[in-house]
Amino acid sequence: MTITINGTPTEFTGTTLADALEQAGHADAKVATAVNEQFVPATARATHTIHPGDRIEIVAPRQGG
Amino acid sequence: MPTFYGTQITSRMMLGTAQYPSPAILAQAFRQSGAGIATVSVRREAGGEHAGQDFWDLIRALNVALLPNTAGCHSVREAVTTAHMARELFDTPWIKLEVIGHADTLQPDPFGLVEAARILSEDGFQVFPYCTEDLVLCDRLQEAGCEVLMPWGAPIGTGLGLNNIYGLRSLRAHFPDTPLVVDAGLGLPSQAAHAMELGFDSVLLNTAVAQAGDPVVMAQAFARAVEAGAMAYAADPMSPRDMAAPSTPVLGQAVLS
């Protein structure tokens, strides 16, 4: 299925948000996530099912003012 | 020293972490300023990139309190989701809430700000709202659960200083027990001193320090100005008057004419 990760269309073969993070290279990274503009806590990634067309945001700590 | 949501901070200065020439200069600026709070943000990270982890390591080594922001959010939904992601990443209930209403001035959207503040406060966040000096807005923010108010001095990144001194003074008078922070618009240490002389509890700086020719020295200059202004407010300044009044005694002056 095709999903969008951080604005980029991506072919995804897994099932859960945890799978998507692993596929995108964030398996052990310090990141936070949202799916379709809704926050998904780290504790729910392994059970959060991804559907075709889902939009995933993956963010990390950054400089800010 | 200011207390925010029950946490006493050992410095009256908050410092942003963006726009420095290098991570090393950022760290030096923090050390030399003694700033007690660092503002941070969340941004997209590509797979295999370690910028987030590198920044996290840098910021933890500063040993200061972290205040994540929702910078760049223009809607309540964006701001609330960003706040949740920031809470998980930085492990703090503190959130500097920005809901931007105007792209040119980066002026807060007061309606969205109050709504987001209420949602987040009810969800256990401790909200630091980036707001204007509007008294009614600040009343509504308090009703929404905010125990800190962060009015702008001037639009973000302008360095224009305190655009509405009357409004800021009124805010201090109307909210005598609420921690007040001038957030945004300061460009010079004298402006920070002025904010503190008005009775503000703290100032938040970023561009004025990070974009100075020598950010480390400028951070020190701001730190001294902030302390000077706070001391002056505590010392109860004289009231200005229109007419001159001699400071040297008139009595006993020799008559020589």
Side-chain angles (χ1 to χ4, degrees):
Chain A
M1 68 176 115
T2 301
I3 61 174
T4 301
I5 299 179
N6 283 353
T8 302
T10 305
E11 281 305 310
F12 177 56
T13 55
T15 306
T16 65
L17 177 57
D19 296 335
L21 282 171
E22 186 166 353
Q23 178 180 312
H26 294 290
D28 299 317
K30 185 173 182 56
V31 294
T33 53
V35 178
N36 301 332
E37 291 83 47
Q38 295 291 326
F39 171 62
V40 180
T43 52
R45 290 175 193 161
T47 56
H48 187 101
T49 303
I50 297 300
H51 302 96
D54 276 355
R55 301 175 305 282
I56 300 174
E57 290 289 332
I58 303 169
V59 298
R62 281 291 191 284
Q63 297 83 353
Chain B
M1 288 298 170
T3 297
F4 301 117
Y5 290 100
T7 299
Q8 188 174 48
I9 302 299
T10 56
S11 166
R12 299 180 188 278
M13 195 163 141
M14 302 181 183
L15 196 53
T17 56
Q19 301 182 316
Y20 291 83
S22 71
I25 290 176
L26 183 161
Q28 285 179 48
F30 267 85
R31 278 195 293 271
Q32 293 301 319
S33 72
I37 294 176
T39 54
V40 292
S41 73
V42 302
R43 286 294 181 264
R44 284 174 170 174
E45 178 143 284
E49 189 182 10
H50 298 291
Q53 185 64 53
D54 292 346
F55 178 67
W56 176 243
D57 293 341
L58 170 72
I59 217 72
R60 283 180 67 193
L62 297 177
N63 198 27
V64 296
L66 299 182
L67 178 57
N69 68 30
T70 62
C73 293
H74 288 253
S75 72
V76 173
R77 188 178 190 184
E78 263 185 299
V80 169
T81 301
T82 301
H84 278 278
M85 293 194 288
R87 181 164 66 176
E88 184 175 86
L89 275 178
F90 294 106
D91 194 25
T92 174
W94 285 9
I95 190 73
K96 182 192 163 193
L97 181 61
E98 298 185 28
V99 182
I100 301 300
H102 193 277
D104 290 338
T105 62
L106 300 180
Q107 181 165 341
D109 168 0
F111 311 101
L113 186 64
V114 171
E115 185 182 347
R118 180 170 291 110
I119 292 169
L120 292 171
S121 295
E122 288 173 354
D123 204 4
F125 284 86
Q126 295 174 339
V127 178
F128 294 61
Y130 163 61
C131 56
T132 64
E133 69 279 11
D134 186 290
L135 286 176
V136 179
L137 167 61
C138 289
D139 257 333
R140 298 293 183 274
L141 287 168
Q142 278 209 322
E143 290 169 9
C146 298
E147 296 180 16
V148 180
L149 296 168
M150 305 232 297
W152 65 355
I156 295 171
T158 61
L160 291 173
L162 307 180
N163 274 353
N164 183 0
I165 291 164
Y166 166 79
L168 295 171
R169 188 185 292 125
S170 296
L171 213 57
R172 180 71 288 171
H174 282 82
F175 298 98
D177 301 319
T178 302
L180 298 178
V181 183
V182 167
D183 174 10
L186 299 181
L188 288 168
S190 55
Q191 297 161 350
H194 195 175
M196 302 306 293
E197 288 166 3
L198 294 175
F200 275 67
D201 297 275
S202 180
V203 296
L204 170 50
L205 307 156
N206 193 157
T207 308
V209 171
Q211 295 290 291
D214 189 334
V216 177
V217 172
M218 189 59 83
Q220 286 180 290
F222 266 104
R224 293 179 186 182
V226 165
E227 282 313 304
M231 289 174 70
Y233 179 71
D236 190 15
M238 64 167 281
S239 299
R241 55 192 170 205
D242 290 331
M243 298 299 291
S247 53
T248 302
V250 175
L251 187 66
Q253 182 177 357
V255 178
L256 302 173
S257 59

